[in-house]
Amino acid sequence: MASADYSPNSAAGLPLPLIGQIEARLGAVMINSFASPETEGELYWGDIQLGPFMEALTAAVKGLQPDGQLNGVATFPRLQGSPWEIPAPNTYPAGDQITWDSFKSLLHHQFLTALPEDQAPILLADTGLTFYSLNNVKVPESGYIAQLAWGAIGYAPGAVSGVKLALETRGIKRRVIAVCGDGAFAESANALGQLAELGQDCVVFVMANGVFAIEQFLVNVQAYATPPTVKFVDLAQVQQTSLWDWPSLARGFGGVGYEVVSNQQLQDVLATLRTSTPPPALPHGPCTGGTPGDGCPQFEHGGARPPSPSTFTLVAVRNVGRDLPSNTRWKLK
């Protein structure tokens, strides 16, 4: 693979013709990635500045067609309505199974925006369809956290604890919630233990639909068509979803758990979350109370933590498996 560093004295434009994919990260660009290096060439272009890069990219795109338009732009699906319009909860029948869109509607209208701004939860959207589904919710400044730079699936269940600690050091009493897929949650389920240990009233919503939805979306989106034209690939299956007892899983880590299937069940849980926080997890078993026995370890500073103020809540959202957020369905056109 060729490589070159950007220089202000270089000729204007990209250092080679644009015929492949561009990837940009941390001040470096891969040009023509996934192209054939034998026949088309690819280049690692390092130490670039954003301004010159955007100018070069714009010039390259304009040169792709005589009218400066990308191939297929005339038939590419157009946006319908405003991206900021999230339908009201009554759009979705209470007894129906939860979908990506009904979850966003209920979460947005009955939780995120149902509290005063200084009490509004901070939302962490995990990598995958969760991010795409929730990227138009309305939250106060610094109220939406996501990371796509490295595509770390499953970061959110653990990251909520760090965000909560950061808020506490600044005296901010806002709740922190994470929304992740079931495959993502399986990557970091053990993070729940720290939430209980620190007494953090964070909420982890798991979209427990039984599939790595983003993987199937990327492999072949036609599995989501109506009717589907292909089957889901085996690697997209998340078998833990139907094996785990979700409320018991939460209790096992010292928290409170719910499993919801219908829109009404989700509304009921959101009402509970709006008005209360769960009591803290209580230590149990040998060496946890009274006078320690001979077999109990003695710690330097007593080993006992201050009483915890609360604990976490885990909500398994059993949403429809063969369903996409409305803002990703353009790919089915």
Side-chain angles (χ1 to χ4, degrees):
M1 180 190 304
S3 64
D5 283 340
Y6 168 76
S7 170
N9 299 321
S10 301
L14 298 176
L16 77 172
L18 176 62
I19 42 78
Q21 179 172 315
I22 286 184
E23 299 179 29
R25 288 183 180 177
L26 297 178
V29 171
M30 177 81 74
I31 301 175
N32 295 340
S33 62
F34 298 105
S36 169
E38 291 80 14
T39 60
E40 298 165 335
E42 59 182 349
L43 175 70
Y44 182 85
W45 197 22
D47 194 28
I48 69 164
Q49 302 298 313
L50 182 60
F53 170 67
M54 293 304 298
E55 292 174 0
L57 180 60
T58 301
V61 170
K62 287 183 177 179
L64 293 177
Q65 293 288 317
D67 58 358
Q69 297 289 324
L70 291 171
N71 288 326
V73 69
T75 58
F76 193 82
R78 294 296 193 268
L79 177 67
Q80 301 295 322
S82 168
W84 308 114
E85 293 177 359
I86 298 176
N90 60 12
T91 305
Y92 308 96
D96 283 7
Q97 186 176 357
I98 301 163
T99 63
W100 282 102
D101 287 351
S102 70
F103 172 78
K104 176 167 65 175
S105 172
L106 293 169
L107 179 72
H108 180 266
H109 292 291
Q110 298 189 354
F111 192 38
L112 296 179
T113 61
L115 297 168
E117 185 167 315
D118 62 344
Q119 300 176 27
I122 292 179
L123 170 63
L124 279 74
D126 211 288
T127 302
L129 283 190
T130 302
F131 166 78
Y132 293 108
S133 173
L134 299 175
N135 61 13
N136 65 333
V137 295
K138 302 179 185 70
V139 293
E141 183 178 358
S142 302
Y144 182 85
I145 298 175
Q147 64 82 36
L148 291 183
W150 302 111
I153 295 177
Y155 87 95
V160 289
S161 181
V163 174
K164 185 68 174 180
L165 288 172
L167 293 175
E168 289 174 349
T169 61
R170 299 174 59 190
I172 299 174
K173 296 182 179 180
R174 292 172 65 181
R175 214 162 187 179
V176 184
I177 67 175
V179 182
C180 62
D182 44 8
F185 176 75
E187 303 279 348
S188 53
N190 61 324
L192 296 177
Q194 178 170 305
L195 301 179
E197 178 186 358
L198 299 180
Q200 297 176 323
D201 63 346
C202 301
V203 184
V204 178
F205 292 94
V206 180
M207 307 304 290
N209 55 7
V211 294
F212 276 104
I214 188 63
E215 305 298 346
Q216 184 61 52
F217 179 82
L218 295 173
V219 170
N220 193 334
V221 73
Q222 295 307 318
Y224 292 102
T226 303
T229 57
V230 297
K231 293 183 178 180
F232 280 70
V233 295
D234 290 339
L235 65 84
Q237 185 177 16
V238 182
Q239 295 185 343
Q240 298 99 317
T241 300
S242 58
L243 297 176
W244 284 346
D245 182 330
W246 293 89
S248 296
L249 179 67
R251 287 193 296 272
F253 277 104
V256 174
Y258 300 93
E259 184 172 355
V260 295
V261 178
S262 70
N263 293 316
Q264 183 61 60
Q265 290 173 336
L266 178 58
Q267 290 187 62
D268 294 342
V269 170
L270 291 174
T272 299
L273 294 174
R274 280 198 313 271
T275 57
S276 63
T277 56
L282 298 177
H284 63 281
C287 306
T288 56
T291 303
D294 293 338
C296 296
Q298 301 297 305
F299 295 97
E300 292 179 350
H301 300 288
R305 294 184 56 83
S308 296
S310 185
T311 191
F312 71 89
T313 300
L314 174 68
V315 184
V317 180
R318 302 302 298 269
N319 57 314
V320 176
R322 200 173 62 79
D323 174 57
L324 289 174
S326 57
N327 57 359
T328 65
R329 291 178 192 151
W330 59 267
K331 199 173 182 182
L332 286 170
K333 302 296 184 180

